[in-house]
Amino acid sequence: MVDIHVFNKPASEFSGDAIVCFGYAEGLRLGSGLKPSGGPSFLSQVAAWDKKLNGRIFSLLKEEGSGAAGNVLSIDTLGHLPVRAMVWVGLGEESACKADTYKDAIYGLVRLLEKQKAKKVLVMLPRISQFSEAQLVALSAEALKFGGYHFTRYLSEKKNTDMDVSLQVAEGKRKAESTQALNMGNVLAECSDLARDLANEPSNVLYPEAFAQIARKEVGKIPGLTCRVLNFEEIKKKGMGLLAGVGQGSTRKPCLVVVEYRGGKKKDLFEAFVGKGITFDSGGISLKTGEAAYLMSHMKRDMAGAACVLGVMRAIALLKLPMNAVGVMSMAENMPDGGSHKPGDILKSLSGKTVEVYHTDAEGRLVIADGLAYAQQNYSVSTMIDIATLTGEVMRVFGPSLTAVFANRNPLYRDLKRASVLTGESIWRMPLFQPYVDKVKGAFADLRELNFDMPNAIASALFLQQFVNKDVSWAHLDIAGTEEYTLPQGGKGSTGSAVRLLAHYLLQKYPISAT
Ligand code: BES
Ligand code: ZN
Ligand code: ZN
């Protein structure tokens, strides 16, 4: 756990385990004139410290401080300074430094500080052209806290990685602005962590009704949120045949979790978020084979979309956004059984459309389709975003750092892209190519769930689009690739994909008034 504070005194008044400074490739080497974060007053402080250490700081920087993005140099101060180490972090070329460069550098920094068993740290904030100081406080708090996340619930021996980090803001600066920024960073990290905790839970612990129980508990802690859960019987009675069909084979029955927030005016339309909540995806009767079977343990995270929705709803309420929102989480476990849905079955959706099943491993689009219909039938929705670990294809084609986005309106995609740049969660647009729509139309039912002749990511998005009312702005986020850490700077397990992206999207659209 990382706790963050702001510090508005000179760095010389800090004592602890480490002082962290950032530098760009152009200015970290002494030869081209050292320009560390913290500005000229801090530079003269560093020069004084360097003198105390007989030139150790500058000579080591010259030899090893490349300033390349991700380059981290830790200089032991040998007991001569009030801090044990000066840590220099490279951010690469200044013009190329964006939110994701900075965040990746922070994740690497946190790993190093954890290894050094640092407990008390001061961070000199860098200057990044697109961010104000307050934004940088928020971004840094979020990244430091996010980077310090570990899922240790089931380890008998837990390492103590707790850390206190102070962020240096301009000396004497009014605290209110920084405190608000700090709060925002904390909230975003905590809401991502909630989503990560849920996605990391194994499916023997986290089955649909267990998720619903946690959602109820989390919602109960936050004023402004309400939670409603439809159980298996209610789902069937309502006519949600797709969600019921996917979940009917498991001993752990499906449910629908609905979280509501009304922070806007009564007549304001709702932003709806719909999450895929498959707590385990074995493939069902079309049981996974080959590599997918080998990787089946990862399918406990096939509910990351639902976890994201709960995280986003929590962020909306904690930040008290002036808007109305609803989160719909379609929870089910996809298992083979005598009572499972089968290839060839025809299911009736909540929208009234019938769907022919071809392959029970393509279950995600079914449960989301009923979630989309539920949101539109029960709320006046202006914008609807679904989040799903939907296709292996997106994982293979886009890799671990890009979320695929399909959108039926350009402005919605543009808003998401802007949030993506701010938050460092990268997205890329995919086509809702209408000439392919015929391929999702059925022969014996209105729609077919799968068409083996079609690229799966596009076909699944076109399938979902059939459940979206024409007047609704809609985006579909396929997070199959980005949901799990596979890159070294990350961590292990769930990334909490899209929580921060969507929170930033909403913060842009419904700004909170400054205090
Ligand atoms: N949950 C999977 C998609 C997935 C795969 C997410 C890997 C994360 C990592 C989805 O339900 C699925 O099984 N999709 C299959 C469908 C196919 C067999 C028709 C796929 O995309 O491979
Ligand atoms: Zn599947
Ligand atoms: Zn799945």
Side-chain angles (χ1 to χ4, degrees), residues 276 281 283 288 302 334 360-364:
K276 171 176 175 181
D281 181 11
K288 288 183 186 291
D302 209 19
N334 188 20
T360 62
D361 200 7
E363 82 297 337

Side-chain angles (χ1 to χ4, degrees), residues 342-386:
K342 306 174 294 296
D345 283 4
I346 293 178
L347 305 173
K348 187 159 184 205
S349 71
L350 178 62
S351 76
K353 291 192 165 90
T354 52
V355 179
E356 191 171 7
V357 176
Y358 277 77
H359 192 297
T360 62
D361 200 7
E363 82 297 337
R365 66 204 73 181
L366 300 183
V367 302
I368 296 174
D370 269 351
L372 295 172
Y374 183 91
Q376 294 167 111
Q377 286 183 9
N378 293 279
Y379 296 87
S380 305
V381 170
S382 63
T383 307
M384 187 160 63
I385 299 178
D386 74 75

Side-chain angles (χ1 to χ4, degrees), residues 200-474:
N200 283 330
E201 280 292 351
S203 68
N204 59 327
V205 177
L206 196 94
Y207 44 88
E209 279 163 356
F211 182 99
Q213 234 166 10
I214 295 176
R216 267 210 190 97
K217 205 176 100 211
E218 287 297 326
V219 162
K221 287 192 245 169
I222 306 167
L225 286 183
T226 56
C227 180
R228 177 158 186 231
V229 180
L230 303 190
N231 65 23
F232 187 34
E233 293 312 316
E234 290 165 318
I235 287 171
K236 283 192 287 192
K237 220 159 92 203
K238 271 237 171 324
M240 306 184 80
L242 302 185
L243 178 57
V246 169
Q248 71 194 24
S250 172
T251 50
R252 302 296 195 179
K253 293 302 176 216
C255 60
L256 188 83
V257 180
V258 185
V259 174
E260 198 182 297
Y261 171 80
R262 290 173 190 269
K265 300 203 181 70
K266 220 169 175 180
K267 60 173 190 345
D268 286 352
L269 299 180
F270 278 74
E271 295 263 342
F273 298 95
V274 178
K276 171 176 175 181
I278 301 296
T279 54
F280 188 70
D281 181 11
S282 67
I285 291 296
S286 316
L287 192 65
K288 288 183 186 291
T289 56
E291 203 193 11
Y294 174 71
L295 296 172
M296 207 193 277
S297 64
H298 295 237
M299 287 300 120
K300 68 173 185 176
R301 272 193 292 277
D302 209 19
M303 37 57 73
C308 168
V309 170
L310 189 59
V312 171
M313 293 305 296
R314 186 177 187 272
I316 291 172
L318 288 177
L319 296 172
K320 300 194 176 67
L321 295 190
M323 61 171 297
N324 295 332
V326 60
V328 177
M329 291 148 267
S330 299
M331 310 305 303
E333 189 173 66
N334 188 20
M335 294 291 274
D337 177 79
S340 294
H341 74 306
K342 306 174 294 296
D345 283 4
I346 293 178
L347 305 173
K348 187 159 184 205
S349 71
L350 178 62
S351 76
K353 291 192 165 90
T354 52
V355 179
E356 191 171 7
V357 176
Y358 277 77
H359 192 297
T360 62
D361 200 7
E363 82 297 337
R365 66 204 73 181
L366 300 183
V367 302
I368 296 174
D370 269 351
L372 295 172
Y374 183 91
Q376 294 167 111
Q377 286 183 9
N378 293 279
Y379 296 87
S380 305
V381 170
S382 63
T383 307
M384 187 160 63
I385 299 178
D386 74 75
I387 307 100
T389 43
L390 207 61
T391 64
E393 189 175 75
V394 157
M395 186 176 66
R396 287 188 293 278
V397 175
F398 275 16
S401 304
L402 268 183
T403 287
V405 177
F406 296 83
N408 71 350
R409 299 280 198 288
N410 293 334
L412 174 57
Y413 181 74
R414 193 197 55 216
D415 289 351
L416 288 167
K417 187 75 183 177
R418 193 176 302 148
S420 153
V421 172
L422 275 175
T423 188
E425 281 193 69
S426 304
I427 64 171
W428 211 269
R429 193 168 184 178
M430 295 272 281
L432 286 164
F433 189 59
Q434 295 306 314
Y436 290 164
V437 157
D438 282 350
K439 304 278 188 183
V440 299
K441 300 274 159 73
F444 307 112
D446 301 330
L447 296 169
R448 51 186 294 158
E449 155 238 41
L450 191 71
N451 189 328
F452 294 100
D453 300 339
M454 283 287 290
N456 198 18
I458 295 181
S460 58
L462 287 172
F463 177 89
L464 292 177
Q465 194 177 19
Q466 307 314 305
F467 295 87
V468 177
N469 298 341
K470 294 264 177 313
D471 59 345
V472 171
S473 291
W474 162 72

Side-chain angles (χ1 to χ4, degrees), residues 67-79:
N71 178 282
V72 185
L73 171 66
S74 180
I75 300 177
D76 195 323
T77 59
L78 307 169

